[in-house]
Amino acid sequence: MSTQVHANLTRDQVEQISAELDEPEWLLETRLSALDALDNLDMPSVIQTPGRTWTNLTDLDFEGFVDPLNAAQDKEREQPDGVEVLEWSEAVAEHGDLIEEQFGSVVDPEENFLTALSTALFTDGTVVYVPEGVDAEDVKIRTTMNSRSLFNYTLVVTEKNASVTILERQSTGGSEARSASDASGEAASVEGERYYSGIVEVAAGENSHVQYGSLQNLDEETYNYTLKRGTADTYATVNWIEGNMGSRLTKSEVETTLDGDGSESHIVGAFFGHHDQHFDINSRVWHRAEHTTADLVTRGVLADRARSVYEGVQDVGRDAWNTSSYQRENTLMLSDDSEADASPKLIINNHDTEASHSATVGQVDAQDLFYMTSRGVDPRSARNMLVEGFFVPVLDEVAVDELRDDIEELVAERLRE
Amino acid sequence: MSSDQDHLKETDTEARFEFKKEEKSAFQTEKGLTEETIRLISEDKDEPEWMYERRLRALKQFQQMPMPTDWPGQPDLSEVDIDEIVPYIRPDIETRGGADDWDELPEEIQDTFEKLGIPEAERKALSGVGAQYESEIVYQNMQEQWEEKGVIFCDMDKAVQEHEELVKEYFMTKCVPPSDNKFAALHGAVWSGGSFVYVPEDTTVNMPIQAYFRMNSEGMGQFEHTLIIAEENSEVHYIEGCSAPKYSAFNLHSGGVEVFVGEDAHVQYSTVQNWSKNTYNLNTKRAIVEANGTMEWVSGSMGSKATMLYPATILKGRGATDNHITIAFAGEGQNIDTGAKVYHNAPDTKSTIESKSISKDGGRTNYRGLVHIADGAENSSTSVECDALMFDNESTSDTMPYMEIQESKVDVAHEATVGKIGDEDVFYLQSRGLDDDDAKQMIVAGFIEPITEELPIEYAVELNRLIELEMEGSLG
């Protein structure tokens, strides 16, 4: 399959993308190398149990999805004082050295087939650069995808003692956008299945604080791969909020490497699948230094024929003395045709560790429902209230009001469909 | 556990074994295990033709299957070279696998027996020394007591001769087909020895059946097969006494255990294993439970270089129940990869898994579990609890549970914790006059108590004693 995609892609295309962004030679080389590597790379790892691969990425028709030279999107970037939020060509021009230093330092471009594909083809990028000591307000990045495929790259660099909150949103162009492209004769390019890919690298400097919230609400014909990974230096914090509502299939990997002593990470996830959506959600943390703390919390709801695959990894290295690591995952099933798979993993190599994980799967509590209906609430509203209530513990963990409100609203909307 | 998901989900596969028989080996290999080896084994045992054919089919499957190599964090099996193992099997039908002499046993094993306080005569039996020892004696006693009620308890080889129809029906057909995994296939080809237990309807065997001394009676004790059939409304507790470290020239143990729990029946299978530390312990153990039946697994995994063992239960009938209690202890150079698998294939089924592991001196423990709740298995519930205790940062403890939930009306809970042995607890006990080792030993004994209280007293004592020995580091 990989050869098919490759066959569809050419060095010329990659060179053209790179030239349009006015990129330096090293970056072009990185892209070309990623392109060449496609033949030999595997899909991102997915869980396998006897006779079964939990998420089937290998059968996806990437050849059909990928249309590298026709990427189109609406982009909004809000830049608060003190921070630089730059679109890619701008960033390349202004911070060439910083990008050369950081690009690919957290996520290896050739880590897997999809990261390589993304590296070779990304046409859109954002660099968020927070200089030393700056406490930034909210950075907002909104992406509306208007083409068959879209490859996004985001780099966040915080210097010592800086802090920033970033809100990212992905959606697909609505019917208006589609009919607009009808008019321009490009309708065929956005009908049917699409592919969105986003790589996010966060390098959090000493004692800095990064909060990265993401809300994915792509249309349900879109396949989605996102890999978000941060490294936290001494006393730094990298927190992730990962909301997944849309897409046909999502493979979302959210990860932190706790590289510095006393660093922390908090990963909060919420998803709500319906119809035949498939979410493969990974939360992973690597404790690689002393006195590090991690807390992974994910809650999801499944309706109709939706399916979730959850993998959480807490990996405590040999030198990670005095580690605290916690993980919880809860799934609520609203339908008998849905499926909830979970594998929360603990990998512990240092005994000076306090670690726990737990996972539950269940349905709306029958007694709660009965109690509410006996108080005059109609069954449908009662169920909806209980589902909204189910999300409260994770929403409480979402420190960003706007993101929390948006997730709440989308959940409510979906329940009232 | 690589290939047989459909079997596990369906279990109504009486015919599957027969489907396999037309399979042709994709390649012929001269070195390694050959048909000639199988013929020798089968002839030596004077087996019926059908068993010989089953062995051959298993051999073909074995030859076609790849080694399990791609499980995340699995023990390294690269040393398990089948071509190296086979010569042990091929020519040695007549020679016994054990040592001829007590003095030939590795020192650490002698030492363990001595420390366990086992009398010398028994030590020899336990370690498989001396071919004159026959486990028949143990079986015979059981027979006398229960045979009038129709209970059968005998050596598996004997069962093939004397209870052919039962064995033909149940042996590696419905529960553990050789196609299940590479080592199940190997087992199907070269199995030898083991226990056969049959408990008729409405019969309660109210004392544990123990197969303690089954070593090497056929020269290939590493491939013993245990088949337990408990008919409707019967009850039996079977204890496999691998509680002594078996000495063996072989470095692979690949046993098979099949348990059939009839409607309303109750089977408990307990085992405490302490293989010598050059052994690869790669087993397949599985139970099928009919409506309202109960299966209980109690297992302690102590010895071996590497263990991969995940006793599995298929809850086939409505209201069936499964309980797993496991403990793993890994010391220096050991990798104990163990857990439990439960398939909820019917409504109102319940399972609980309680797993405790201890790792020390660079030892590695892994809980690898799978809970599958099939669509339609409504009102099923499962609860998994894993606790790991670690002594030092040379050791590793992993927890890898997998949960596949295809039914919404269920209650699924998994919980795991890992922690070091509490400094404060040790300090507290020391301040009461215990030395460091005794304090730690006491904490470990408390940690594994939920396991030991499920075992008959002599096994509980032995398990504690074995752990004590490990803690002293006297076994190296």
Side-chain angles (χ1 to χ4, degrees):
Chain A
M1 184 216 62
S2 55
T3 48
Q4 286 179 335
V5 176
H6 199 174
N8 200 27
L9 301 173
T10 61
R11 290 176 73 89
D12 286 350
Q13 288 172 326
V14 172
E15 279 164 7
Q16 189 181 332
I17 289 167
S18 189
E20 276 169 17
L21 292 163
D22 209 8
E23 287 178 346
E25 187 62 22
W26 70 264
L27 193 48
L28 174 62
E29 290 306 321
T30 305
R31 285 177 182 269
L32 291 173
S33 164
L35 180 74
D36 291 341
L38 286 175
D39 286 339
N40 301 314
L41 289 171
D42 293 326
M43 283 291 160
S45 66
V46 295
I47 296 176
Q48 298 191 14
T49 48
R52 189 166 193 227
T53 301
W54 286 15
T55 296
N56 188 349
L57 295 172
T58 48
D59 281 354
L60 294 183
D61 175 21
F62 286 91
E63 189 181 20
F65 297 147
V66 174
D67 185 12
L69 298 180
N70 290 306
Q73 60 173 338
D74 290 329
K75 197 86 172 185
E76 289 174 47
R77 292 186 179 89
E78 281 183 31
Q79 173 179 301
D81 291 344
V83 190
E84 292 185 60
V85 182
L86 305 170
E87 68 173 271
W88 191 243
S89 52
E90 216 182 339
V92 166
E94 286 178 28
H95 291 288
D97 292 345
L98 181 78
I99 291 170
E100 184 165 6
E101 186 190 334
Q102 299 291 348
F103 187 93
S105 66
V106 182
V107 175
D108 177 358
E110 295 171 25
E111 180 166 312
N112 63 52
F113 183 87
L114 296 181
T115 58
L117 193 65
S118 205
T119 302
L121 299 182
F122 76 90
T123 50
D124 184 59
T126 303
V127 172
V128 178
Y129 173 62
V130 193
E132 184 173 337
V134 171
D135 282 328
E137 307 273 305
D138 296 354
V139 170
K140 290 174 189 167
I141 307 167
R142 290 193 187 84
T143 305
T144 307
M145 173 179 179
N146 290 323
S147 49
R148 161 97 40 220
S149 62
L150 189 65
F151 294 88
N152 239 311
Y153 173 80
T154 307
L155 173 66
V156 179
V157 179
T158 55
E159 289 188 343
K160 201 171 167 181
N161 304 332
S163 76
V164 66
T165 296
I166 298 161
L167 293 186
E168 199 197 357
R169 244 168 277 224
Q170 300 101 26
S171 55
T172 11
S175 51
E176 281 170 40
R178 287 198 171 205
S179 44
S181 60
D182 274 345
S184 65
E186 286 177 30
S189 70
V190 286
E191 284 301 313
E193 295 178 336
R194 307 201 219 176
Y195 180 56
Y196 177 86
S197 163
I199 307 290
V200 177
E201 294 187 280
V202 171
E206 185 182 334
N207 200 36
S208 71
H209 187 283
V210 177
Q211 167 123 328
Y212 195 106
S214 172
L215 179 53
Q216 177 273 113
N217 195 25
L218 299 162
D219 79 16
E220 286 171 37
E221 296 213 69
T222 305
Y223 292 83
N224 172 37
Y225 174 65
T226 51
L227 170 56
K228 303 186 174 86
R229 189 181 296 153
T231 56
D233 203 339
T234 309
Y235 299 123
T237 302
V238 177
N239 292 343
W240 303 97
I241 301 157
E242 175 74 5
N244 278 294
M245 299 293 291
S247 84
R248 164 73 193 81
L249 176 147
T250 281
K251 167 84 174 165
S252 156
E253 312 193 70
V254 180
E255 308 174 339
T256 306
T257 307
L258 297 169
D259 259 345
D261 289 352
S263 56
E264 278 179 47
S265 184
H266 195 173
I267 303 176
V268 179
F271 62 85
F272 190 159
H274 70 160
H275 301 153
D276 59 350
Q277 286 184 295
H278 180 117
F279 293 135
D280 186 323
I281 309 284
N282 309 148
S283 299
R284 302 190 181 104
V285 61
W286 290 275
H287 296 265
R288 289 292 176 264
E290 299 182 19
H291 319 297
T292 58
T293 305
D295 195 5
L296 282 44
V297 188
T298 296
R299 284 199 171 203
V301 172
L302 298 173
D304 307 327
R305 297 175 310 284
R307 174 149 180 247
S308 69
V309 170
Y310 171 82
E311 182 187 45
V313 175
Q314 301 151 272
D315 185 313
V316 178
R318 190 132 285 165
D319 302 319
W321 295 91
N322 190 19
T323 297
S324 300
S325 194
Y326 307 96
Q327 179 184 175
R328 286 158 283 161
E329 200 265 343
N330 311 92
T331 315
L332 191 61
M333 293 169 84
L334 301 180
S335 141
D336 221 14
D337 295 323
S338 57
E339 175 169 351
D341 299 337
S343 182
K345 296 185 170 109
L346 283 166
I347 316 285
I348 312 292
N349 289 294
N350 185 304
H351 73 300
D352 191 11
T353 295
E354 237 180 64
S356 69
H357 69 207
S358 65
T360 64
V361 179
Q363 57 178 347
V364 173
D365 189 85
Q367 267 184 322
D368 292 348
L369 260 186
F370 173 77
Y371 175 84
M372 291 172 78
T373 49
S374 74
R375 291 291 181 281
V377 182
D378 72 83
R380 170 94 190 198
S381 307
R383 186 204 71 166
N384 292 353
M385 286 162 77
L386 288 169
V387 172
E388 288 174 72
F390 174 78
F391 277 115
V392 166
V394 290
L395 291 174
D396 280 350
E397 307 271 350
V398 176
V400 185
D401 294 345
E402 187 183 326
L403 190 60
R404 187 174 55 236
D405 293 347
D406 285 353
I407 295 174
E408 255 170 349
E409 198 175 303
L410 284 170
V411 166
E413 240 173 61
R414 182 155 289 184
L415 285 167
R416 278 158 190 76
E417 265 172 16
Chain B
M1 73 180 206
S2 62
S3 66
D4 225 23
Q5 187 74 1
D6 292 340
H7 167 67
L8 296 169
K9 286 181 191 164
E10 295 302 330
T11 78
D12 281 319
T13 50
E14 270 83 345
R16 69 173 292 118
F17 194 79
E18 302 308 320
F19 284 135
K20 298 275 182 193
K21 73 181 171 193
E22 295 305 323
E23 269 183 21
K24 293 265 190 303
S25 171
F27 58 92
Q28 296 289 333
T29 170
E30 277 313 303
K31 58 177 182 179
L33 192 53
T34 65
E35 291 190 15
E36 178 64 11
T37 322
I38 302 303
R39 196 181 58 76
L40 285 171
I41 295 172
S42 195
E43 272 180 10
D44 185 66
K45 292 175 182 300
D46 197 22
E47 282 176 351
E49 186 67 15
W50 60 265
M51 180 57 85
Y52 171 58
E53 276 167 16
R54 282 189 195 181
R55 286 181 184 275
L56 284 184
R57 266 174 268 158
L59 174 68
K60 283 177 184 159
Q61 281 161 340
F62 170 74
Q63 287 164 340
Q64 287 164 359
M65 285 181 189
M67 286 283 279
T69 53
D70 54 354
W71 297 15
Q74 75 165 74
D76 178 10
L77 300 182
S78 56
E79 242 183 46
V80 184
D81 182 346
I82 301 306
D83 293 337
E84 290 300 313
I85 291 164
V86 169
Y88 292 125
I89 297 163
R90 180 164 32 196
D92 289 351
I93 299 304
E94 294 307 319
T95 53
R96 302 308 179 199
D100 294 330
D101 198 309
W102 171 256
D103 295 329
E104 283 179 23
L105 285 175
E107 211 170 292
E108 65 170 44
I109 290 178
Q110 293 186 17
D111 200 35
T112 307
F113 280 116
E114 267 152 38
K115 289 189 173 162
L116 285 169
I118 293 169
E120 186 151 344
E122 214 173 313
R123 280 180 211 167
K124 290 185 177 177
L126 283 167
S127 58
V129 175
Q132 80 279 8
Y133 180 81
E134 282 302 330
S135 51
E136 302 299 321
I137 301 155
V138 181
Y139 293 126
Q140 197 59 45
N141 288 340
M142 287 306 300
Q143 277 183 346
E144 279 163 16
Q145 194 168 354
W146 296 102
E147 67 186 353
E148 62 196 46
K149 293 184 178 173
V151 176
I152 303 168
F153 181 39
C154 68
D155 184 277
M156 195 65 214
D157 292 313
K158 195 169 165 189
V160 174
Q161 307 294 341
E162 295 181 8
H163 307 284
E164 190 177 342
E165 287 314 306
L166 279 172
V167 176
K168 193 175 181 180
E169 185 183 347
Y170 289 101
F171 182 88
M172 297 192 85
T173 52
K174 313 172 189 200
C175 197
V176 180
S179 60
D180 189 75
N181 65 69
K182 189 165 183 75
F183 293 97
L186 177 66
H187 174 87
V190 302
W191 77 274
S192 181
S195 302
F196 178 72
V197 178
Y198 175 84
V199 186
E201 256 182 71
D202 302 324
T203 306
T204 299
V205 181
N206 58 11
M207 60 174 284
I209 291 184
Q210 305 187 23
Y212 205 87
F213 317 130
R214 302 186 284 96
M215 263 307 279
N216 295 323
S217 61
E218 296 299 329
M220 284 178 289
Q222 285 68 26
F223 301 99
E224 83 282 357
H225 192 90
T226 299
L227 177 55
I228 300 172
I229 302 161
E231 300 281 19
E232 198 174 326
N233 200 35
S234 68
E235 189 171 338
V236 65
H237 182 181
Y238 173 83
I239 300 177
E240 189 157 79
C242 307
S243 62
K246 289 181 180 179
Y247 167 71
S248 167
F250 304 164
N251 59 0
L252 174 66
H253 170 255
S254 189
V257 175
E258 300 184 279
V259 184
F260 294 87
V261 184
E263 273 188 41
D264 296 302
H266 185 162
V267 176
Q268 181 172 340
Y269 174 98
S270 305
T271 177
V272 178
Q273 304 210 357
N274 190 28
W275 300 94
S276 61
K277 285 175 188 163
N278 65 342
T279 303
Y280 286 86
N281 183 33
L282 311 166
N283 290 297
T284 309
K285 300 186 178 184
R286 190 170 300 150
I288 295 177
V289 188
E290 305 291 341
N292 298 314
T294 300
M295 179 67 207
E296 297 190 73
W297 299 94
V298 178
S299 49
S301 296
M302 303 283 305
S304 82
K305 178 168 191 176
T307 286
M308 292 175 81
L309 170 62
Y310 324 95
T313 299
I314 299 168
L315 297 170
K316 185 184 173 194
R318 181 184 282 270
T321 301
D322 170 64
N323 301 315
H324 272 91
I325 297 178
T326 75
I327 178 162
F329 190 119
E332 192 181 348
Q334 289 185 281
N335 190 342
I336 310 285
D337 196 295
T338 184
K341 290 194 283 177
V342 187
Y343 288 80
H344 291 259
N345 287 354
D348 305 320
T349 49
K350 279 191 178 56
S351 64
T352 63
I353 297 169
E354 198 174 343
S355 164
K356 303 254 180 188
S357 69
I358 300 164
S359 50
K360 185 173 172 282
D361 298 332
R364 183 176 178 131
T365 59
N366 184 17
Y367 171 82
R368 196 187 297 274
L370 173 64
V371 175
H372 179 94
I373 300 188
D375 195 5
E378 56 180 40
N379 301 319
S380 290
S381 67
T382 181
S383 134
V384 182
E385 253 188 82
C386 303
D387 297 312
L389 192 61
M390 295 175 76
F391 274 77
D392 48 64
N393 81 322
E394 299 307 309
S395 304
T396 302
S397 179
D398 301 344
T399 309
M400 299 189 181
Y402 297 92
M403 288 169 271
E404 296 183 317
I405 313 302
Q406 296 171 340
E407 165 64 45
S408 68
K409 296 182 200 69
V410 294
D411 188 0
V412 176
H414 171 97
E415 240 181 273
T417 63
V418 179
K420 64 175 171 177
I421 198 154
D423 291 338
E424 282 153 46
D425 298 339
V426 174
F427 174 76
Y428 176 83
L429 291 166
Q430 283 175 331
S431 75
R432 292 294 182 277
L434 292 171
D435 68 31
D436 188 61
D437 281 352
D438 287 345
K440 285 180 176 167
Q441 164 61 20
M442 192 172 275
I443 290 164
V444 169
F447 177 73
I448 63 164
E449 194 182 290
I451 311 285
T452 50
E453 70 190 13
E454 289 298 317
L455 289 167
I457 186 75
E458 68 268 32
Y459 285 85
V461 168
E462 203 157 333
L463 183 63
N464 269 318
R465 190 78 185 106
L466 282 167
I467 285 173
E468 223 170 285
L469 292 176
E470 292 286 347
M471 303 268 296
E472 283 170 11
S474 57
L475 300 182

